[in-house]
Amino acid sequence: MNNQKIALITGANRGIGYAIAHGLLKADFQVIIGSRSLDKGKAAAEQLNSPLVSVVEIDIAEDDSINKAFNELNDKIDRLDVLVNNAGIYPDNGFNILTINRDLLTKTLNANTFGAIKTTQIFLPLLEKADQARIINYSSGYGQLAGLSAGVPSYCLSKLTLNGATIMLADALASKNITVNAVDPGWVSSDMGGENAPRTTEQGADTAVWLATIDAVKDSGKLWRDRSVVSL
C-alpha cells in the first residue's frame, strides 16, 4: 500500500475547505477537492498548483451525486484515509425560530447533516481499506447546546444534529478502527462567515489538518476547537 495518504474534502473549492486542502498538501497528502461545481473545483486545483491535487464533482445534498463521485474515485484510488465533511449552507438571513418554514429547515438539514451522514455511508468501503481512517465533520459553536441561537434556526439545528451524528458514527465505526470527530472552526472570515469575522480560513482549518495528520487520534465522537475537546 502506498504510504502517501489520501484525503477527500467536500466544499474544498473555497473558504475553510480550500485552506484544509492547502494544509494537507503541505503535509504531503494526495488531496481530492470535492466541489459542487466542477469548474470551480478545477479553478481551485489550478491555484493549488500541485500534481497531488485532483477534483471530483459532488453535491452532498444529492445521493446520486455522492454515488457518482464514489464510483469515479473508486476506479482511481485504493483507499481513503481522511474524509472531511466540510460542505454546507447558511441560509437563515431574515428568519428566526418563530418564522422559519419547514422547507428551509429541511433544505439545511439535508445539506449540513444528512449530507455528511450519506457521504460517510457511501465512501465507507474506501475508508475501511485505510489503516486508520479519520472522518472529520465540520460543525460550529452554533451546534453546541450552549451556543444555540433563535436567530440562526436551521443552521443551529443542522449542526446540533451533526454533533449527534458524529457521536453515533464514532460508536458505529469504532470496531473498524475509524475515528469520527467534529470541528468548530470559530467565526471565520469567508463567504459564509463574512468579512467581519475575526478568524482566518487557515485558523479555521488548523484543527482539521491537525486531526488528519497526527500519528494517532485517541478520541472519537468529540467536538474540537483549537486542537482541544470542547463541550457538545
Side-chain angles (χ1 to χ4, degrees):
M1 182 179 288
N2 189 336
N3 289 329
Q4 190 172 62
K5 292 188 176 180
I6 305 169
L8 167 63
I9 308 149
T10 65
N13 58 287
R14 62 179 184 174
I16 294 173
Y18 181 87
I20 296 170
H22 186 261
L24 291 180
L25 273 177
K26 291 198 294 185
D28 199 35
F29 270 64
Q30 180 180 335
V31 172
I32 304 166
I33 291 178
S35 176
R36 187 170 58 180
S37 163
L38 187 59
D39 288 341
K40 290 180 179 179
K42 288 179 177 178
E46 288 178 6
Q47 285 184 319
L48 290 168
N49 190 28
S50 169
L52 297 178
V53 178
S54 59
V55 181
V56 68
E57 185 175 20
I58 181 170
D59 182 348
I60 48 85
E62 300 290 341
D63 288 2
D64 287 347
S65 178
I66 304 171
N67 274 307
K68 183 179 178 182
F70 171 81
N71 290 333
E72 179 180 333
L73 292 177
N74 194 40
D75 290 335
K76 298 177 179 178
I77 59 177
D78 61 1
R79 71 190 186 286
L80 185 62
D81 297 281
V82 176
L83 170 63
V84 184
N85 289 309
N86 166 72
I89 60 174
Y90 185 93
D92 285 325
N93 287 339
F95 293 96
N96 61 45
I97 194 62
L98 298 178
T99 60
I100 193 166
N101 58 66
R102 185 188 292 267
D103 288 344
L104 187 53
L105 285 166
T106 301
K107 178 181 179 180
T108 310
L109 283 160
N110 184 47
N112 293 357
T113 311
F114 306 152
I117 294 171
K118 195 62 184 179
T119 302
T120 299
Q121 291 174 342
I122 290 175
F123 277 86
L124 187 57
L126 280 171
L127 290 161
E128 288 176 324
K129 293 178 181 178
D131 289 337
Q132 188 192 28
R134 302 166 192 197
I135 298 166
I136 302 166
N137 296 326
Y138 253 76
S139 186
S140 169
Y142 274 141
Q144 293 176 268
L145 287 173
L148 297 176
S149 169
V152 194
S154 72
Y155 186 79
C156 282
L157 289 172
S158 72
K159 296 303 185 179
L160 175 67
T161 311
L162 180 62
N163 288 343
T166 298
I167 295 171
M168 297 166 73
L169 287 168
D171 179 61
L173 295 173
S175 63
K176 299 180 182 293
N177 201 30
I178 299 175
T179 59
V180 188
N181 284 290
V183 170
D184 167 19
W187 185 16
V188 170
S189 180
S190 64
D191 289 348
M192 182 180 290
E195 61 183 17
N196 294 323
R199 292 167 68 90
T200 65
T201 53
E202 289 76 18
Q203 287 173 312
D206 176 74
T207 297
V209 173
W210 175 73
L211 284 170
T213 56
I214 56 177
D215 288 339
V217 180
K218 296 179 181 179
D219 292 296
S220 189
K222 306 295 184 183
L223 175 64
W224 296 77
R225 183 176 183 183
D226 294 334
R227 303 190 182 189
S228 297
V229 174
V230 296
S231 172
L232 288 165

